[in-house]
Amino acid sequence: MSRHRRIWTLCFALLLLHQSLKASTAAAAPAVAPVPSKNASAVTPSASARAPSASSPATAPSVEASTPTDVASPPPKAAPAPQQLGSPGSSPSPSNSTKNGGAPAPKRPASASNGTLEPAQARALSALGISVGTDPCNTAAQRNLICDDSVPYKHLIFLHLEYCTMGQVFPVAAWDNLTTLQSLSFSDCPAKQMALPKELLETVTSLQVVASLGRSEENVLAQGLTGVWLSKFYNVRKLVVQDVVVNVSTLSFITNNMTHLQELIFSNTNLTGALPKKWASEDLISLEVSGNDMEGGIPTPVTQLLKLNSLDLSSCNLSGSIPSALGNLSLLQTLKLGSNRLKGQIPSSLQKLATLQYLDLSDNQLNGSVPAFLAHLPALRYLDLSKNNFKGQLPFNSSFIKSLNTFKVGSNAQLCYNSSIISSKLVTGLQPCDSNGLPPAITGDFSPSPAPAPETQGPPPSSHHHGPKRIVLIVAIALASIIGIIVIAIVLSRCCSSKG
Ligand SMILES: *[C@@H]1O[C@H](CO)[C@@H](O)[C@H](O)[C@H]1NC(C)=O
Ligand SMILES: *[C@@H]1O[C@H](CO)[C@@H](O)[C@H](O)[C@H]1NC(C)=O
Ligand SMILES: *[C@@H]1O[C@H](CO)[C@@H](O)[C@H](O)[C@H]1NC(C)=O
Ligand SMILES: *[C@@H]1O[C@H](CO)[C@@H](O)[C@H](O)[C@H]1NC(C)=O
Ligand SMILES: *[C@@H]1O[C@H](CO)[C@@H](O)[C@H](O)[C@H]1NC(C)=O
Ligand SMILES: *[C@@H]1O[C@H](CO)[C@@H](O)[C@H](O)[C@H]1NC(C)=O
Ligand SMILES: *[C@@H]1O[C@H](CO)[C@@H](O)[C@H](O)[C@H]1NC(C)=O
Ligand SMILES: *[C@@H]1O[C@H](CO)[C@@H](O)[C@H](O)[C@H]1NC(C)=O
Ligand SMILES: *[C@@H]1O[C@H](CO)[C@@H](O)[C@H](O)[C@H]1NC(C)=O
Ligand SMILES: *[C@@H]1O[C@H](CO)[C@@H](O)[C@H](O)[C@H]1NC(C)=O
Ligand SMILES: *[C@@H]1O[C@H](CO)[C@@H](O)[C@H](O)[C@H]1NC(C)=O
Ligand SMILES: *[C@@H]1O[C@H](CO)[C@@H](O)[C@H](O)[C@H]1NC(C)=O
């Protein structure tokens, strides 16, 4: 009898334990689950060397409408000890794109024919210092080159050169045999800028130069990468020039003849002069000119590139105001104008940007009030208004701020928030308004308010914000109930056994 009861008690306790654990994990789940972010679209490899079709260069790969984050992400600055150029093929480099400085990770042709690389091209690769085995096209580890599917011999369509020795010279004759290339990429390759055959300049539709070329043994900083050289690739759809000094008067000298351009990155290139007054291509999808010391403001022609979905003009010392016509760029997902000298107000036309996800206006001299329409941009997930001269009361509520992944608003001395609408935790670096809706420091006198010291880190996403506290609470409750159940079980079993 007593044994029965004891077993029953034990079963009951176990059931309770199970239930309470289930309940607590269920309660914890929403707190831990990642926030589904609209931002999280697939990161697609650039399509620069896709759709290999040697016979028809017209169907050359096109730039995909890649995600803003994809396009905008700076290339990883992985600069290990420079290797000899011979190593790219032979080095056991995993298929890990952090090594190639933002070069595309193109797909190989789907159907592999059983031909091998044309002998002249294999010789040319050797002449460039790339060790080629019996069949360079088929080496699984070979990610620095891609061949097409033509018969009887395959041809190179993509070539990536990295970790060259300083001032290395690529023989001109080698390039003469590589005129099937559609995509050419250099990273951490401080070789000498070389003359290229005219045919090659025609076939290349994707060119990337990251921390490469433009240097010589005599003078590391010599401006060897010239605008003239770059301008010859007039057929490119994608042009990436990054972390290398370019000697050119204006960007338009280079882009003037690039009528097919879809993606342009020109960042940290010591570019001067104004942004182009004219674009040869209407097909630009992604435009990044950043980290250059430019002249002038944001010219109207940029606002006429109606296919843009990403525009990044950060850190270019641009002056003037934000053109109202930017609101015409109805496909824009990313707009980065941070770290310039832009003045005036945020134009109301930006409320038309229904797909805008990422807006960075930080570190400018923008003034006026923060417009309320920002809270109604349906796709917005990243908002940085910090380090400006915005005034008055922040027109947002907590639920809007929590809907963002990132919100930064600090270092706006005359901006404040209504503490009965917004939790102070959500607006780091801002002061609460007084009863007149003004920052307390500037109501009485006109002395400059003590600038809010804390650096302007926005709040983490809302669930993360409450997550830890909630988890602790749930764990505590679960533990307490387990202990309670055990105590009850012990007591019950004791009294039962004493009875029996
Ligand atoms: C790439 O390689 C680096 C170092 O070899 C490693 O730290 C990193 O996690 C790798 N990334 C991916 C996506 O494999
Ligand atoms: C590839 O090999 C198969 C049989 O091994 C042959 O039928 C086919 O014609 C070959 N193709 C090429 C392009 O050489
Ligand atoms: C390129 O091809 C030509 C013949 O067309 C040949 O004379 C030359 O040696 C080749 N160059 C290399 C580096 O293979
Ligand atoms: C830039 O190129 C011009 C000629 O195009 C040349 O005169 C000048 O010296 C170059 N500047 C530097 C710093 O190399
Ligand atoms: C651009 O094209 C025009 C006409 O096609 C030509 O005259 C000019 O030299 C080209 N400019 C460059 C830099 O290639
Ligand atoms: C390029 O710009 C960087 C940073 O502005 C500067 O340190 C460097 O001296 C410049 N190089 C040349 C060759 O002008
Ligand atoms: C930005 O432009 C202004 C005006 O041309 C100039 O005085 C200033 O030195 C520039 N700033 C930088 C960082 O080059
Ligand atoms: C662009 O916007 C401006 C003002 O915001 C407007 O006057 C102009 O007509 C627009 N242009 C186009 C092509 O939509
Ligand atoms: C998208 O998410 C990444 C991290 O997943 C973040 O770095 C980036 O700022 C986000 N972009 C937007 C627009 O929220
Ligand atoms: C904003 O700054 C400009 C000068 O940059 C000034 O003319 C304008 O009156 C200011 N607007 C407000 C609302 O403070
Ligand atoms: C917060 O602001 C947004 C946008 O202005 C609005 O749609 C929403 O109803 C507001 N939520 C609350 C709880 O007031
Ligand atoms: C702050 O918000 C509360 C609640 O909406 C409102 O009653 C109060 O007037 C606001 N304060 C200011 C200064 O606008």
Side-chain angles (χ1 to χ4, degrees):
M1 190 63 185
S2 79
R3 194 175 269 176
H4 255 108
R5 273 177 91 162
R6 217 181 279 180
I7 287 167
W8 267 112
T9 331
L10 210 67
C11 286
F12 182 66
L14 280 175
L15 192 76
L16 271 179
L17 188 76
H18 177 242
Q19 290 293 4
S20 71
L21 273 178
K22 215 163 129 188
S24 66
T25 45
V32 192
V35 212
S37 160
K38 287 193 185 169
N39 161 22
S41 26
V43 176
T44 53
S46 306
S48 36
R50 274 222 193 126
S53 156
S55 50
S56 58
T59 61
S62 66
V63 178
E64 284 187 354
S66 39
T67 63
T69 40
D70 181 21
V71 171
S73 63
K77 243 334 228 168
Q83 297 167 272
Q84 290 290 327
L85 190 74
S87 50
S90 47
S91 74
S93 62
S95 60
N96 178 337
S97 67
T98 51
K99 252 191 165 180
N100 63 7
K107 288 200 174 115
R108 280 157 200 286
S111 63
S113 77
N114 28 15
T116 181
L117 186 61
E118 190 188 300
Q121 293 205 331
R123 280 198 304 274
L125 284 179
S126 299
L128 293 179
I130 297 173
S131 57
V132 288
T134 44
D135 188 359
C137 295
N138 277 349
T139 311
Q142 181 58 273
R143 33 179 288 281
N144 290 314
L145 53 87
I146 291 177
C147 308
D148 66 8
D149 258 348
S150 51
V151 285
Y153 290 121
K154 297 178 181 181
H155 294 106
L156 277 177
I157 55 173
F158 166 78
L159 177 61
H160 176 64
L161 296 162
E162 61 187 348
Y163 308 132
C164 313
T165 46
M166 183 70 74
Q168 178 160 358
V169 178
F170 294 127
V172 177
W175 297 107
D176 285 339
N177 292 322
L178 294 175
T179 54
T180 55
L181 284 173
Q182 297 172 12
S183 181
L184 188 53
S185 167
F186 303 86
S187 68
D188 294 306
C189 182
K192 279 195 169 151
Q193 177 182 296
M194 60 287 186
L196 292 174
K198 203 161 170 285
E199 276 167 287
L200 183 59
L201 297 171
E202 263 169 41
T203 54
V204 168
T205 57
S206 170
L207 175 68
Q208 305 201 50
V209 183
V210 178
S212 297
L213 309 176
R215 303 182 208 184
S216 67
E217 251 157 333
E218 306 83 55
N219 182 358
V220 175
L221 289 176
Q223 302 199 336
L225 185 57
T226 62
V228 173
W229 189 80
L230 289 170
S231 71
K232 288 176 179 164
F233 292 86
Y234 65 93
N235 239 342
V236 285
R237 282 146 177 77
K238 174 174 179 171
L239 176 63
V240 176
V241 182
Q242 213 165 314
D243 301 329
V244 57
V245 171
V246 178
N247 184 0
V248 71
S249 54
T250 60
L251 179 58
S252 62
F253 179 84
I254 294 167
T255 57
N256 252 346
N257 280 9
M258 297 182 171
T259 51
H260 304 296
L261 203 57
Q262 294 178 16
E263 181 177 352
L264 175 65
I265 296 179
F266 225 92
S267 81
N268 304 327
T269 55
N270 290 50
L271 190 62
T272 56
L275 285 165
K277 300 280 183 289
K278 191 166 158 278
W279 290 94
S281 167
E282 288 178 355
D283 295 329
L284 271 157
I285 292 169
S286 176
L287 174 59
E288 175 185 337
V289 180
S290 66
N292 299 297
D293 191 6
M294 318 268 300
E295 281 162 22
I298 303 172
T300 309
V302 168
T303 70
Q304 291 161 347
L305 298 168
L306 297 179
K307 293 181 183 168
L308 278 184
N309 64 43
S310 177
L311 176 61
D312 182 351
L313 303 174
S314 316
S315 306
C316 278
N317 202 20
L318 297 174
S319 53
S321 56
I322 300 176
S324 139
L326 275 183
N328 293 346
L329 300 178
S330 57
L331 301 178
L332 218 50
Q333 295 176 7
T334 298
L335 179 57
K336 299 185 185 183
L337 302 175
S339 300
N340 283 297
R341 295 183 294 129
L342 299 170
K343 291 193 168 88
Q345 310 202 6
I346 299 179
S348 60
S349 61
L350 297 195
Q351 67 191 296
K352 292 189 284 181
L353 301 178
T355 56
L356 193 67
Q357 297 173 13
Y358 192 109
L359 179 59
D360 180 5
L361 302 176
S362 65
D363 195 10
N364 278 293
Q365 297 153 29
L366 299 170
N367 67 3
S369 53
V370 171
F373 71 74
L374 292 175
H376 298 288
L377 291 176
L380 199 65
R381 290 297 170 267
Y382 184 105
L383 179 58
D384 191 348
L385 302 172
S386 61
K387 299 185 192 165
N388 277 293
N389 301 324
F390 291 117
K391 286 192 180 72
Q393 189 169 313
L394 195 67
F396 301 148
N397 59 27
S398 289
S399 54
F400 165 67
I401 296 173
K402 285 179 187 169
S403 74
L404 300 171
N405 291 331
T406 304
F407 176 61
K408 299 183 190 182
V409 76
S411 296
N412 283 285
Q414 300 180 68
L415 190 66
C416 63
Y417 66 97
N418 184 335
S419 53
S420 55
I421 296 179
I422 305 178
S423 150
S424 65
K425 287 175 200 148
L426 297 174
V427 281
T428 331
L430 271 202
Q431 311 174 67
C433 301
D434 64 12
S435 54
N436 299 315
L438 294 171
I442 59 162
T443 45
D445 53 288
F446 289 96
S447 66
S449 62
E455 230 351 276
T456 62
Q457 281 302 318
S462 53
S463 58
H464 288 198
H465 194 66
H466 296 292
K469 267 190 201 164
R470 222 156 118 189
I471 292 169
V472 167
L473 197 73
I474 287 161
V475 169
I477 291 173
L479 273 179
S481 43
I482 290 167
I483 291 169
I485 288 162
I486 290 171
V487 167
I488 290 170
I490 290 171
V491 169
L492 276 177
S493 63
R494 280 241 178 107
C495 83
C496 294
S497 60
S498 65
K499 252 188 187 173

